[in-house]
Amino acid sequence: MNPLDAYMKNSVQTASPLQQVILLYEKAIVCLKAAKEDIKNGDIKSKIGNITKVSDIIRALDSSLDFKNGGEIATNLHALYDFIDRSLFEVHTKNDAQLIDDLIEILSNLKEGWEGIQSKV
């Protein structure tokens, strides 16, 4: 495990649930940026690894949704996570750098939203 991954793992394990969500978004964004570089550099193995990490993160976020208490917000996040996960397959098959940028923007906006909530707690 590289030092950044070790740091992120430790940060996630010791953070509050809200901070964990923010850290997971950050990691997904970092991996998407790396996948974009992998496409540019023709590094297929690394691209697959980074896209897989993002997919794992999205699935973890999706599985943590509380539909009973989260209502419409949980339902909307579920639909968005499903879109992101399906888009990752397209990124993989088409090497679509623009789609990566779109996914980074979506995840950045979600992260900012959670950071806004965190600042009010």
Side-chain angles (χ1 to χ4, degrees), residues 42-53:
D43 189 343
I44 296 168
K45 184 177 179 180
S46 183
K47 176 194 78 169
I48 292 169
N50 281 307
I51 290 172
T52 300
K53 286 177 189 175

Side-chain angles (χ1 to χ4, degrees), residues 104-115:
I104 289 170
E105 183 177 351
I106 290 167
L107 290 170
S108 295
N109 288 334
L110 288 169
K111 180 178 150 291
E112 288 173 15
W114 286 105
E115 288 170 336

Side-chain angles (χ1 to χ4, degrees), residues 24-67:
L24 288 170
Y25 284 131
E26 286 177 4
K27 178 65 176 178
I29 292 165
V30 166
C31 288
L32 282 171
K33 288 178 180 178
K36 186 175 177 181
E37 281 298 308
D38 295 335
I39 290 168
K40 181 179 170 185
N41 297 328
D43 189 343
I44 296 168
K45 184 177 179 180
S46 183
K47 176 194 78 169
I48 292 169
N50 281 307
I51 290 172
T52 300
K53 286 177 189 175
V54 177
S55 183
D56 290 346
I57 290 168
I58 296 304
R59 289 180 184 161
L61 288 165
D62 188 55
S63 70
S64 71
L65 293 173
D66 181 352
F67 292 98

Side-chain angles (χ1 to χ4, degrees), residues 1-15 19-31 53 57 111:
M1 181 179 302
N2 71 44
L4 177 60
D5 286 341
Y7 170 78
M8 289 297 293
K9 182 177 180 181
N10 185 55
S11 295
V12 169
Q13 290 173 342
T14 59
Q19 186 62 30
Q20 287 177 356
V21 170
I22 294 167
L23 289 169
L24 288 170
Y25 284 131
E26 286 177 4
K27 178 65 176 178
I29 292 165
V30 166
C31 288
K53 286 177 189 175
I57 290 168
K111 180 178 150 291

Side-chain angles (χ1 to χ4, degrees), residues 53-92:
K53 286 177 189 175
V54 177
S55 183
D56 290 346
I57 290 168
I58 296 304
R59 289 180 184 161
L61 288 165
D62 188 55
S63 70
S64 71
L65 293 173
D66 181 352
F67 292 98
K68 181 179 177 186
N69 295 313
E72 186 178 348
I73 293 172
T75 301
N76 291 341
L77 283 171
H78 172 69
L80 195 52
Y81 292 154
D82 183 58
F83 168 78
I84 291 168
D85 201 42
R86 284 183 287 112
S87 295
L88 290 170
F89 180 76
E90 189 172 334
V91 165
H92 171 62

